[in-house]
Amino acid sequence: MEDGYQNRTAFIKGAKDIAKEVKRQAAKKVGRSVDRVSDEYSKRSYSRFEEDDDDNYPMQGSQDGGYYRGDSQAANDDEGGHSDSTEGHDEDDEIYEGEYQGIPRADSGKGSLRRKDQEELAQQYETILQECGHGKFQWSLYFVLGLALMADGVEIFVVGFVLPSAEKDMCLSEPNKSMLGLIVYFGMMVGAFLWGALADRIGRRQSLLISLSINSIFSFFSSFVQGYSTFLFCRLLSGVGIGGSIPIVFSYYSEFLSQEKRGEHLSWLCMFWMIGGIYASAMAWAIIPHYGWSFQMGSAYQFHSWRVFVLVCAFPSVAAIAALNAMPESPRFYLENGKHDEGWMVLKQVHDTNMRAKGYPERVFSVTTIKTVKQMDELVDVGTDTFALVFLRVHLLQIRNNILACFRPEYKRTTFMLMAVWFSMSFSYYGLTVWFPDMIKYIQKQEYESRTKTFTKERVEHVTFNFTLENQVHRQGYYFNDKFLNLKMKSMVFEDSVFEECYFEDITSTHTFFRNCTFIASLFYNTDLFKYRLVNCKLVNSTFLHNKEGCMLDFSDDFNNAYMIYFVNFLGTLAVLPGNIVSALLMDKIGRLRMLGSVISCVSCFFLMFGNTESGMIALLCLFGGISIASWNALDVITVELYPSDKRTTAFGFLNALCKLAAVLGISIFQSFVGITKAIPILFAAGALAAGSFLATKLPETRGQVLQ
């Protein structure tokens, strides 16, 4: 035995020397110091010669009371550790030639061992959460993560609320308006995929802090930039930032909840998305119509009230960042990544915080050893890459592997089923919620145009117009020596008319056009009557002086439109409150699938067909939103519970990115039917919801199961 031990020690020492020599040679190649060449690379090169016996030599001692650290962690911390429990040549001790070039070998044994560790950790972790209890810590985290979810809800509504004002302020054409409305969804699609995958690599808390910071910074900038392109760019990056909130928040919070609390409290967390919608609606109603909260520096820089609203909408994200700094990382993430001490300390913090709040400060956290998961080799070919590139490639490799893992045989069916359910629900919900306000505006426009007054062949001479001209059509008129002074023109159309020796001063116009008109010896001073308002017109000895630059906001007319937009969205978001409460109370009682597979939302969507009046359609939309929120809550919960911790946010982020893609398609398709028919969008939505409800029933039920 003694001889075998000495031979083995010499063998390990030789392997270490070889690894160090390889490290020196690599350092010479790329011209950097030996100390900065990846230490992890060196460790893993000879780590195969160290024993990893989980039943021997636990490492004792801790500043917190002498708990036992996990054996796999002890082996990682002690580079010179060895064991004489086995002799001879072990398969794991073979020198793999390609390993020194950073090429990992296929080793199915480690994968199965890791899965076994994950299953053991899941069972033990559930027991630990039971001991920690549910109390002050979870509620504190609930409000912190709620702010992040609230920021996501706000982001959805921002562009829709500012668009009526921004389109005039920035002189937006119809294609530009459509792109501005969709850009946030594109950003959130990218963000959900990016941050969801990164959260499984660098941690939930860290990824959420970065994503919220990006959202806050570019939301702030977007309130000040003047050009359409820069505003579009800022809103895109703002969406990329906030896109990570939903996948990270639900995964993060679920890892602090025991199985009997998980469904209910994740559903309570969903209420903050509703609160975000209410906050955005209330702030828009309170700020945007108050045009006195604006200033401008000449005609080049204008800061109108809608920009104040954009600035205020960044507050939830900023508050979430400040509060999140006081919260710890998920202990489950630590344990899945072999960080025993960090995970133990967080769980002890949860236990002690809850026990003190419940009046039992003397209770001691009894857990001494927590299972950690065996880490897989992530060796890459360093070649001549810099340290930053190696670091990036390692992370990208892990992210790619996590995404591909969602389509492995054990998860393939679940992933495709969830993709179909997420897509169908998003296509219907977002398509309808954006299409509906457009339908309301179309109905209002039709009613407004029905009151249009038409004047034909009128002759007006030596008259001064200094009052508002609104919703009129003048055909074949003749105007001689008339003055149009300090007035607003709203929805005015002049066709085949002649203006001779007329004077226009301080004119602000909205939806006003002159078609096939002739201007003879007329003067335009300080007006916004640009060429695009003069369609096929003839100008004879006419002059334009000091034209107003840019597009002017029509302050007096926007309040009624704003009232309807904000009020309808306020009612729609408030209507989901009963659905949130019911889903939270029943989630753990009737199960996720029964709530997700319910066809009630499909039926309520179909009822929109019978809304013939404005108030009737608003009431039916509120009913649809209140019922469908229960399905959304169930979908969030079941998505969290169907994937293991090391792939949870990756899968959630991928599915949430698909959700935003479906939203873009739904909005684009549904908007094309505005003013044509309301039957097709409603039938599309109802059919998609019916298909999604049917597929949802084929998913596995996760109620009462430990978190994988």
Side-chain angles (χ1 to χ4, degrees), residues 86-284:
T86 59
E87 293 186 56
H89 186 65
D90 198 288
E91 186 179 354
D92 272 349
D93 294 334
E94 291 180 3
I95 299 178
Y96 174 51
E97 183 179 356
E99 191 160 300
Y100 289 111
Q101 283 77 44
I103 305 171
R105 70 174 172 186
D107 194 347
S108 59
K110 285 194 174 184
S112 60
L113 183 59
R114 178 178 173 85
R115 285 193 294 273
K116 181 181 177 183
D117 289 345
Q118 288 175 323
E119 292 171 2
E120 293 176 4
L121 172 60
Q123 296 293 336
Q124 186 185 10
Y125 193 78
E126 181 62 35
T127 304
I128 295 171
L129 287 179
Q130 296 284 351
E131 180 178 343
C132 292
H134 188 93
K136 181 180 178 181
F137 182 91
Q138 280 86 356
W139 283 112
S140 300
L141 185 62
Y142 168 80
F143 286 106
V144 172
L145 297 181
L147 287 171
L149 201 58
M150 180 178 170
D152 183 272
V154 169
E155 191 75 17
I156 292 292
F157 292 96
V158 168
V159 171
F161 287 160
V162 304
L163 195 55
S165 299
E167 65 175 303
K168 298 174 185 175
D169 197 9
M170 296 182 179
C171 306
L172 300 185
S173 62
E174 287 298 324
N176 287 344
K177 285 165 53 180
S178 300
M179 179 55 68
L180 186 58
L182 294 176
I183 196 67
V184 66
Y185 290 99
F186 282 113
M188 294 175 79
M189 178 178 67
V190 174
F193 185 80
L194 172 65
W195 302 116
L198 203 59
D200 279 330
R201 179 63 189 170
I202 67 174
R204 283 77 163 109
R205 176 180 172 273
Q206 187 72 12
S207 296
L208 189 57
L209 279 171
I210 297 172
S211 66
L212 290 174
S213 298
I214 292 175
N215 171 253
S216 301
I217 291 170
F218 286 99
S219 292
F220 176 81
F221 286 154
S222 68
S223 67
F224 293 97
V225 297
Q226 293 293 299
Y228 167 72
S229 298
T230 50
F231 182 78
L232 198 69
F233 178 73
C234 287
R235 294 317 303 180
L236 173 66
L237 292 185
S238 175
V240 170
I242 204 61
S245 63
I246 288 182
I248 298 175
V249 160
F250 283 101
S251 300
Y252 191 7
Y253 193 45
S254 69
E255 291 168 359
F256 287 92
L257 299 172
S258 58
Q259 66 182 40
E260 72 270 11
K261 298 285 186 181
R262 195 163 54 241
E264 176 185 350
H265 287 273
L266 286 176
S267 298
W268 288 126
L269 185 64
C270 294
M271 292 186 67
F272 277 92
W273 198 92
M274 173 202 72
I275 294 172
I278 293 175
Y279 174 82
S281 302
M283 290 298 100

Side-chain angles (χ1 to χ4, degrees), residues 467-483:
F467 48 85
T468 299
L469 296 176
E470 180 179 2
N471 200 19
Q472 298 175 6
V473 176
H474 297 261
R475 295 191 177 99
Q476 300 177 0
Y478 179 77
Y479 303 88
F480 177 76
N481 196 23
D482 295 323
K483 295 182 179 180

Side-chain angles (χ1 to χ4, degrees), residues 296-362:
Q296 63 184 51
M297 292 182 289
S299 59
Y301 189 90
Q302 302 177 2
F303 193 90
H304 295 302
S305 55
W306 67 267
R307 296 181 181 274
V308 179
F309 166 71
V310 173
L311 193 61
V312 169
C313 284
F315 288 173
S317 186
V318 174
I321 294 170
L324 197 60
N325 280 294
M327 292 291 111
E329 180 57 84
S330 163
R332 185 66 179 268
F333 172 79
Y334 279 142
L335 297 172
E336 291 281 350
N337 288 273
K339 298 181 179 180
H340 177 279
D341 291 2
E342 292 88 338
W344 187 90
M345 289 297 294
V346 175
L347 288 168
K348 184 178 185 298
Q349 178 186 349
V350 176
H351 174 275
D352 293 348
T353 301
N354 289 341
M355 292 305 110
R356 283 195 301 268
K358 293 177 180 179
Y360 306 109
E362 71 282 357

Side-chain angles (χ1 to χ4, degrees), residues 236-526:
L236 173 66
L237 292 185
S238 175
V240 170
I242 204 61
S245 63
I246 288 182
I248 298 175
V249 160
F250 283 101
S251 300
Y252 191 7
Y253 193 45
S254 69
E255 291 168 359
F256 287 92
L257 299 172
S258 58
Q259 66 182 40
E260 72 270 11
K261 298 285 186 181
R262 195 163 54 241
E264 176 185 350
H265 287 273
L266 286 176
S267 298
W268 288 126
L269 185 64
C270 294
M271 292 186 67
F272 277 92
W273 198 92
M274 173 202 72
I275 294 172
I278 293 175
Y279 174 82
S281 302
M283 290 298 100
W285 200 347
I287 295 173
I288 294 179
H290 292 274
Y291 305 106
W293 301 2
S294 307
F295 68 89
Q296 63 184 51
M297 292 182 289
S299 59
Y301 189 90
Q302 302 177 2
F303 193 90
H304 295 302
S305 55
W306 67 267
R307 296 181 181 274
V308 179
F309 166 71
V310 173
L311 193 61
V312 169
C313 284
F315 288 173
S317 186
V318 174
I321 294 170
L324 197 60
N325 280 294
M327 292 291 111
E329 180 57 84
S330 163
R332 185 66 179 268
F333 172 79
Y334 279 142
L335 297 172
E336 291 281 350
N337 288 273
K339 298 181 179 180
H340 177 279
D341 291 2
E342 292 88 338
W344 187 90
M345 289 297 294
V346 175
L347 288 168
K348 184 178 185 298
Q349 178 186 349
V350 176
H351 174 275
D352 293 348
T353 301
N354 289 341
M355 292 305 110
R356 283 195 301 268
K358 293 177 180 179
Y360 306 109
E362 71 282 357
R363 288 193 180 176
V364 178
F365 187 46
S366 64
V367 178
T368 57
T369 304
I370 308 176
K371 184 71 179 179
T372 52
V373 177
K374 186 175 184 64
Q375 300 304 295
M376 302 291 287
D377 288 341
E378 295 173 7
L379 299 175
V380 296
D381 184 7
V382 296
T384 58
D385 291 343
T386 63
F387 178 78
L389 284 176
V390 172
F391 179 81
L392 180 62
R393 288 177 64 188
V394 168
H395 281 70
L396 291 177
L397 177 65
Q398 181 63 42
I399 290 171
R400 187 201 68 176
N401 290 340
N402 277 353
I403 294 169
L404 294 178
C406 297
F407 294 93
R408 287 176 184 165
E410 61 265 39
Y411 301 113
K412 184 177 180 180
R413 181 179 181 275
T414 297
T415 299
F416 280 117
M417 297 290 285
L418 281 173
M419 286 173 63
V421 176
W422 273 92
F423 188 92
S424 62
M425 288 187 61
S426 303
F427 179 83
S428 304
Y429 181 80
Y430 287 105
L432 280 179
T433 52
V434 175
W435 166 81
F436 184 79
D438 287 343
M439 276 299 298
I440 294 292
K441 287 190 287 185
Y442 176 77
I443 293 173
Q444 291 175 336
K445 181 181 178 181
Q446 291 294 101
E447 183 182 354
Y448 182 77
E449 290 180 349
S450 68
R451 302 195 301 267
T452 301
K453 296 180 180 179
T454 302
F455 301 87
T456 304
K457 296 183 179 181
E458 61 179 351
R459 185 179 182 91
V460 182
E461 299 180 3
H462 310 293
V463 174
T464 299
F465 296 88
N466 55 5
F467 48 85
T468 299
L469 296 176
E470 180 179 2
N471 200 19
Q472 298 175 6
V473 176
H474 297 261
R475 295 191 177 99
Q476 300 177 0
Y478 179 77
Y479 303 88
F480 177 76
N481 196 23
D482 295 323
K483 295 182 179 180
F484 299 83
L485 304 177
N486 192 25
L487 59 84
K488 295 181 177 63
M489 294 184 176
K490 305 177 188 177
S491 300
M492 294 291 296
V493 177
F494 294 88
E495 295 179 347
D496 303 312
S497 300
V498 177
F499 296 84
E500 185 174 356
E501 297 183 13
C502 291
Y503 181 69
F504 299 84
E505 181 179 352
D506 290 328
I507 306 296
T508 301
S509 59
T510 305
H511 303 298
T512 295
F513 298 95
F514 296 82
R515 297 191 178 99
N516 302 317
C517 296
T518 302
F519 296 88
I520 303 172
S522 296
L523 176 64
F524 298 83
Y525 181 84
N526 194 30

